[in-house]
């Protein structure tokens, strides 16, 4: 295995390019241009992973590229980038360029086109991202030792870390995100540079949207907790989500011994425990107990035990989650969904719940949210010991499985779970003399309650009977 790695990293000067990309490169070659595969796709090739998307760098200008292909969208023309739709693939093509700073923390101030791929690679952030593969012949261009760093699982900037971080304050956050995503180490000196005053100042100037997008990418890493801890240690977290500070050293372990982690670690391990494919559930897990420091009370039981309480912390967590997500410019839909999950994360099903109780729960949280809420609960339990719940509390796990079975059984019966499933509607009630208005709404809700309690009541005649009785009383 070691030998194979050695060959892959050091002896190979060329790589085999997928047929479609080779064909794509041929279009540039025929027209007299150069084209290279760059960025994450090249990194993925050396990591033995399948590339998720292809970025191509060329000396053709965006206008030239538009002439070469039929379907070209000017997705980032101000940065020299267009997206070519080629045989069911979307390929981002960017003209070789050099850059001169990001004074608004968002866009490069100006785009200067470069003459060579080497010059283009010199403006890229990390050595592992500054490797190019010539689409004509598979030749590797690696002027900064990117292959070597990939093999060592090391993140290093192209050039002097401080200079590169001061050009664009997103780079330190990208370094941390890549470190979690790839499980690479940020080279020591580079890492230390992040917490220096000028670099932190530069970081605090980036746009909140750029931070949000990196956070979302971090949430897809195998263990986002690694990155969140690095953000805490370097001071980045305190810039963007200072609400977390109070969670560190907010001790939950009282004399009853239920908890081993403080609220901070519990939240970030819970985040690891949520499915990587569900970034919003991961976000809900990250925030689910963030309101605990504000809700914490302490008292001593008659037996002399010291106990901590966090009454209604889910409401406080929901409030903070909303504040943070609005600040980070998440969409209203994403914010509402995460907040809804946080608000309802404290449910405790027991087998003695009646079917009516299960139906009421479904109405309260919405059937469509059940899978995410169950995932959040599993994540919460993961975060208790930083391991899958199956390993430390199989009874809790079985209990959740039973709850899901009960829900499934109830859903299969297609019983009324919302007002619109009732056998009567507002018009029917108006028909028996109830005036449109507040009273009508109250009666409809009464009927819905009756049906939730006993689905056999969902019958037009029976419901109108109750309604009539209700006006008489
Ligand atoms: P992924 O797509 O997994 O996030 P990637 O390396 O492809 O990884 P992109 O954000 O798609 O990252 O950027 C493509 C390439 O552009 C990077 O590999 C890097 O060479 C360069 N790049 C992106 N952002 C910056 C930046 N802020 N500063 C310098 N170079 C950057
Ligand atoms: Mg990419």
């Amino acid at each position: 295995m070691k030998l194979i790695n050695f060959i892959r990293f050091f002896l190979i000067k060329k790589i085999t390019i997928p047929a479609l990309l080779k064909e794509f490169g041929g279009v540039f070659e025929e027209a007299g241009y150069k084209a290279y595969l760059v960025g994450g796709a090249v990194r993925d090739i050396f990591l033995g992973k399948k590339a998720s998307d292809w970025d191509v760098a060329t000396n053709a200008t965006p206008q030239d590229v538009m002439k070469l292909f039929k379907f070209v969208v000017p997705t980032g023309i101000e940065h020299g980038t267009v997206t070519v739709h080629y045989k069911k693939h979307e390929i981002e093509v960017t003209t070789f360029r050099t850059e001169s700073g990001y004074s608004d923390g968002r866009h490069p101030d100006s785009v200067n086109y470069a003459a060579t791929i080497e010059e283009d690679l010199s403006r890229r952030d990390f050595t592992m991202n500054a490797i190019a593969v010539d689409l004509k012949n598979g030749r590797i261009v690696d002027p900064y030792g990117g292959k070597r760093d990939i093999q060592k699982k090391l993140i290093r900037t192209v050039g002097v870390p401080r200079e590169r971080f001061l050009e664009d304050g997103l780079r330190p956050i990208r370094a941390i995100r890549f470190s979690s995503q790839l499980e690479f180490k940020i080279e020591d000196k580079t890492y230390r540079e992040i917490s220096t005053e000028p670099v932190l100042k530069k970081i605090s100037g980036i746009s909140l949207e750029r931070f949000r997008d990196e956070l979302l990418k971090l949430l897809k890493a195998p263990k986002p907790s690694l990155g969140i801890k690095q953000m805490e240690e370097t001071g980045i977290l305190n810039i963007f989500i200072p609400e977390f500070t109070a969670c560190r050293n907010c001790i939950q372990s009282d004399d009853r011994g239920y908890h081993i982690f403080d609220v901070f670690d519990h939240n970030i391990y819970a985040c690891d425990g949520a499915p990587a494919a569900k970034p919003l559930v991961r976000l809900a897990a990250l925030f689910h107990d963030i309101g605990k420091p504000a809700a914490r009370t302490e008292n001593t039981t008659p037996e002399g035990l010291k106990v901590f309480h966090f009454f209604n912390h889910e409401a406080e967590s929901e409030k903070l989650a909303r504040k943070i997500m609005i600040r980070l410019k998440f969409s209203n839909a994403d914010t509402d969904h995460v907040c809804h999950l946080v608000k309802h994360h404290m449910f405790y099903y027991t087998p003695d719940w009646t079917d009516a109780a299960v139906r009421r729960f479904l109405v309260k949280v919405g059937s469509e949210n059940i899978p995410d809420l169950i995932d959040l609960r599993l994540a919460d339990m993961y975060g208790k010991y930083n391991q899958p719940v199956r390993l430390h509390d199989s009874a809790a796990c079985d209990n959740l499985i039973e709850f899901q079975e009960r829900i499934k059984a109830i859903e299969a019966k297609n019983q009324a779970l919302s007002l619109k499933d009732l056998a009567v509607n507002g018009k029917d009630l108006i028909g028996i003399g109830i005036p449109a208005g507040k009273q009508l709404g109250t009666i409809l809700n009464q009927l819905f309650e009756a049906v939730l309690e006993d689905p056999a009541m969902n019958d037009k005649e029976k419901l109108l009977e109750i309604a009539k009785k209700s006006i008489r009383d």
Side-chain angles (χ1 to χ4, degrees):
M1 188 63 204
K2 269 195 177 148
L3 184 67
I4 293 174
N5 265 341
F6 180 78
I7 293 171
R8 194 165 70 205
F9 283 91
F10 293 105
L11 295 187
I12 293 181
K13 297 277 183 255
K14 282 184 173 196
I15 61 164
T16 314
I17 297 166
L20 186 114
L21 261 182
K22 201 163 167 51
E23 195 185 298
F24 184 72
V27 179
F28 286 84
E29 199 195 335
E30 252 172 52
Y33 299 113
K34 293 187 159 69
Y36 295 84
L37 185 65
V38 289
V42 179
R43 201 180 60 226
D44 288 343
I45 290 172
F46 288 111
L47 285 169
K49 290 189 198 163
K50 204 173 169 293
S52 53
D53 47 27
W54 288 328
D55 291 320
V56 166
T58 178
N59 60 348
T61 65
Q63 289 70 26
D64 296 332
V65 180
M66 288 189 184
K67 283 184 206 143
L68 288 181
F69 298 93
K70 243 198 196 147
F71 301 107
V72 184
V73 186
T75 40
I77 198 96
E78 67 282 17
H79 313 119
T81 303
V82 293
T83 303
V84 180
H85 292 250
Y86 187 75
K87 302 201 170 168
K88 295 191 178 153
H89 286 262
E90 288 182 16
I91 305 174
E92 281 216 342
V93 179
T94 305
T95 307
F96 295 159
R97 57 181 212 222
T98 56
E99 259 155 19
S100 41
Y102 290 68
S103 57
D104 68 350
R106 201 158 176 206
H107 301 297
D109 291 340
S110 58
V111 178
N112 297 316
Y113 292 133
T116 63
I117 184 69
E118 284 79 7
E119 207 181 331
D120 180 87
L121 293 176
S122 74
R123 59 111 185 152
R124 293 178 182 268
D125 48 8
F126 305 111
T127 58
M128 63 179 183
N129 291 345
I131 314 172
V133 177
D134 192 334
L135 290 184
K136 189 167 81 179
N137 51 23
R139 188 178 63 92
I140 297 162
V141 186
D142 179 20
Y144 302 101
K147 273 192 304 178
R148 181 199 55 213
D149 286 342
I150 290 173
Q151 199 203 13
K152 289 188 184 162
K153 295 177 175 276
L154 203 58
I155 297 175
R156 282 193 311 122
T157 51
V158 169
V160 182
R162 172 168 301 212
E163 284 171 16
R164 302 311 313 281
F165 289 161
L166 289 181
E167 271 170 20
D168 177 7
L170 189 73
R171 289 179 187 149
I173 302 172
R174 280 172 61 86
I176 288 174
R177 186 260 293 181
F178 279 124
S179 160
S180 302
Q181 181 185 317
L182 306 170
E183 303 191 334
F184 277 25
K185 182 178 155 50
I186 302 173
E187 184 270 328
D188 285 337
K189 192 173 164 301
T190 310
Y191 186 69
R192 281 198 302 275
E193 209 52 71
I194 300 178
S195 341
T196 60
E197 211 187 303
V199 173
L200 283 177
K201 188 158 171 260
K202 185 73 189 178
I203 295 171
S204 64
I206 67 162
S207 76
L208 293 162
E209 290 90 339
R210 290 182 94 202
F211 175 80
R212 175 203 60 204
D213 292 346
E214 278 306 315
L215 179 65
L216 279 170
K217 287 182 183 175
L218 171 65
L219 290 173
K220 292 185 187 149
K223 287 190 174 181
S225 65
L226 300 174
I228 307 278
K229 274 188 190 170
Q230 287 179 315
M231 287 214 252
E232 181 197 21
E233 193 175 63
T234 51
I236 295 175
L237 194 61
N238 201 35
I239 297 174
F240 296 99
I241 320 184
E243 291 81 357
F244 270 117
T245 313
C247 296
R248 176 57 82 210
N249 297 323
C250 178
I251 307 297
Q252 315 188 68
S253 120
D254 55 24
D255 287 345
R256 296 172 297 179
Y258 291 154
H259 291 276
I260 57 173
F261 297 125
D262 65 7
V263 175
F264 190 102
D265 282 340
H266 171 65
N267 273 332
I268 65 174
Y269 294 140
C271 180
D272 289 353
K278 289 188 171 182
L280 292 182
V281 178
R282 280 198 151 173
L283 207 52
L286 185 64
F287 294 146
H288 79 286
D289 277 351
I290 198 168
K292 271 190 168 176
R296 189 174 183 275
T297 53
E298 262 184 63
N299 70 322
T300 308
T301 64
E303 299 78 36
L305 288 182
K306 186 163 80 169
V307 292
F308 304 145
H309 296 291
F310 301 94
F311 292 123
N312 212 19
H313 71 269
E314 61 275 26
E316 195 63 39
S317 298
E318 184 202 358
K319 208 167 84 191
L320 288 181
R322 188 172 298 281
K323 191 172 150 205
I324 296 164
M325 289 184 74
I326 289 174
R327 181 192 316 135
L328 297 182
K329 302 187 192 301
F330 278 88
S331 69
N332 289 343
D334 287 355
T335 305
D336 287 344
H337 185 57
V338 169
C339 290
H340 187 76
L341 296 177
V342 170
K343 177 179 177 182
H344 292 293
H345 82 268
M346 300 283 288
F347 60 87
Y348 289 102
Y349 166 78
T350 51
D352 60 357
W353 279 27
T354 59
D355 279 359
V358 177
R359 282 191 292 271
R360 281 204 184 86
F361 179 77
L362 288 178
V363 170
K364 186 171 76 173
V365 305
S367 299
E368 69 285 8
N369 295 311
I370 293 295
D372 285 358
L373 266 180
I374 299 275
D375 282 336
L376 178 57
R377 165 50 53 88
L378 286 168
D380 190 355
M381 294 193 284
Y382 183 106
K384 205 165 167 192
Y385 294 106
N386 193 15
Q387 57 173 218
V389 60
R390 197 30 95 203
L391 300 181
H392 63 260
D393 193 348
S394 58
C397 214
D398 292 340
N399 176 270
L400 266 189
I401 292 170
E402 186 191 306
F403 188 31
Q404 281 171 294
E405 296 297 326
R406 292 275 309 272
I407 290 171
K408 249 190 241 156
I410 283 177
E411 285 176 339
K413 289 184 193 157
N414 272 330
Q415 293 163 337
L417 289 173
S418 81
L419 278 180
K420 67 176 178 359
D421 301 327
L422 279 187
V424 294
N425 58 28
K427 266 195 197 148
D428 298 323
L429 297 188
I430 293 170
I432 58 162
I434 302 171
K438 202 170 161 212
Q439 191 193 12
L440 187 132
T442 313
I443 293 179
L444 265 179
N445 277 321
Q446 266 173 13
L447 301 182
F448 184 46
E449 268 302 311
V451 169
L452 274 184
E453 190 56 44
D454 178 7
M457 292 305 292
N458 201 13
D459 168 276
K460 194 164 179 178
E461 268 178 37
K462 288 181 189 166
L463 291 179
L464 288 180
E465 216 29 66
I466 306 180
K468 282 179 196 156
K469 188 168 177 292
S470 183
I471 358 179
R472 280 197 305 269
D473 292 345

